Amino acid sequence: MADGSVRGGPAWVRFLVGFGLLWTVLAGAAQLDPTAAWGVAVLAAVLVVGVVVEGVLYGSGRPLRRLGFGRPTTRGLWLAAGVSAVILLVYPLTTAVTGAPIALRPGWPLLLVGVFALHGLAEEIVWRGYVFRRLRVGRSFPAAAALSMPLIAVTHVPIAVVSGPVIGLGAMAVAATTAVPLAYLFETGRGTLWAPAIVHTAIDSFKLVVIPVVALTTFSLLLVAVSLLVPLLALAVPRRVLGG
C-alpha cells in the first residue's frame, strides 16, 4: 500500500486528496505570509500534514524519510550550490543592465531562513517529496516528471491574477520547467529534499532584496530567463557522477 503506484481511479483519487490537503495548507499559509518571514511555521504545518497523509492515506512507515528528510549525497549538494550560484548572478546582471543598485533587506539572514523553510523545504515536500515521488512509482523518470509539470503549473495560476499575466505566465513556465531538474536533484540525492531545496531557494531569493522600481521589469524578465535555463545545467551531470 505504501509504495503503490498512482494508476487507476482509486489510486488517483487518493493521490489527489493527499495533494489537495498538502497544497491547501501550503498555499493558505504562504498567502498569509507572502514575505516568508514565518516560513519555519509554514514548514511545520506542511510537514505535519505530510506525515498524516503518508500515515493515513498510504499507511507508510518512516514518513519523514519518505517525504525527503534523509541523508543526501555530497556531490548532489555541491551541484545544487553551483547551480544556485549561477542563478544568483541575476542580481549583478540586473545592476549591470539597468545601473540600479540592488540592496539586501534589513534582517535578511533571518529572512533567508524563512525563505529556505518555505520555498525550499515546504514547497519541495509537496512537489518532490509527495507529487514526484508518488508518480515515480512504476514509471520512468521522464514520465513521472512530465506528469508533475502540469500539476505544478496550474497551481501557479493565482500569480497571474495577483501580479498580471506576464509575471504569472513566467512563474508557471518556471515552475513547470524546473520540475525536471529539481526532480533529478531529488532522485540522485537519494530521494531527499536538500539539493532541490537549495536551488529552489536561490530562485526565490528575490524576497531578500529591494529591487528599484526602474529595474523591476528588467529584473523580472531576467529572473524568469535565468530560472528557466540555469537549473537545467544539473541534468548535464550524469547520475553515476552524483552517486545517488
Side-chain angles (χ1 to χ4, degrees):
M1 181 178 180
D3 293 321
S5 63
V6 185
R7 295 180 185 277
W12 272 103
V13 169
R14 181 173 59 179
F15 169 77
L16 291 175
V17 167
F19 168 72
L21 291 171
L22 283 163
W23 174 246
T24 298
V25 172
L26 174 63
Q31 187 174 18
L32 292 174
D33 176 33
T35 67
W38 291 89
V40 174
V42 177
L43 170 60
V46 172
L47 189 55
V48 168
V49 175
V51 169
V52 171
V53 167
E54 288 294 317
V56 175
L57 292 184
Y58 290 94
S60 302
R62 303 175 65 193
L64 291 179
R65 176 64 184 86
R66 290 183 178 276
L67 289 170
F69 289 90
R71 184 170 63 88
T73 62
T74 302
R75 292 178 181 179
L77 294 178
W78 278 113
L79 175 59
V83 170
S84 298
V86 179
I87 291 172
L88 294 178
L89 292 177
V90 69
Y91 298 105
L93 179 59
T94 299
T95 298
V97 171
T98 66
I102 296 176
L104 287 165
R105 293 186 181 277
W108 69 266
L110 285 178
L111 187 54
L112 174 59
V113 174
V115 172
F116 179 71
L118 172 57
H119 297 291
L121 293 176
E123 289 194 16
E124 286 302 313
I125 286 174
V126 179
W127 299 127
R128 257 56 67 177
Y130 180 79
V131 171
F132 172 76
R133 175 176 60 86
R134 288 291 172 190
L135 293 175
R136 181 70 166 90
V137 178
R139 294 185 176 88
S140 66
F141 176 87
L147 276 175
S148 72
M149 291 171 72
L151 193 61
I152 296 172
V154 167
T155 56
H156 286 71
V157 169
I159 297 178
V161 177
V162 175
S163 303
V166 174
I167 293 178
L169 290 173
M172 292 172 64
V174 169
T177 303
T178 55
V180 178
L182 293 183
Y184 184 75
L185 288 170
F186 173 82
E187 186 161 289
T188 57
R190 298 195 184 104
T192 63
L193 304 175
W194 307 110
I198 292 172
V199 176
H200 204 145
T201 300
I203 292 172
D204 285 283
S205 61
F206 61 87
K207 292 191 173 182
L208 305 177
V209 301
V210 178
I211 308 295
V213 175
V214 295
L216 190 55
T217 300
T218 299
F219 171 75
S220 299
L221 294 175
L222 286 175
L223 181 61
V224 168
V226 167
S227 300
L228 283 172
L229 298 175
V230 174
L232 296 174
L233 294 174
L235 301 175
V237 182
R239 290 173 179 265
R240 65 178 183 276
V241 174
L242 296 174

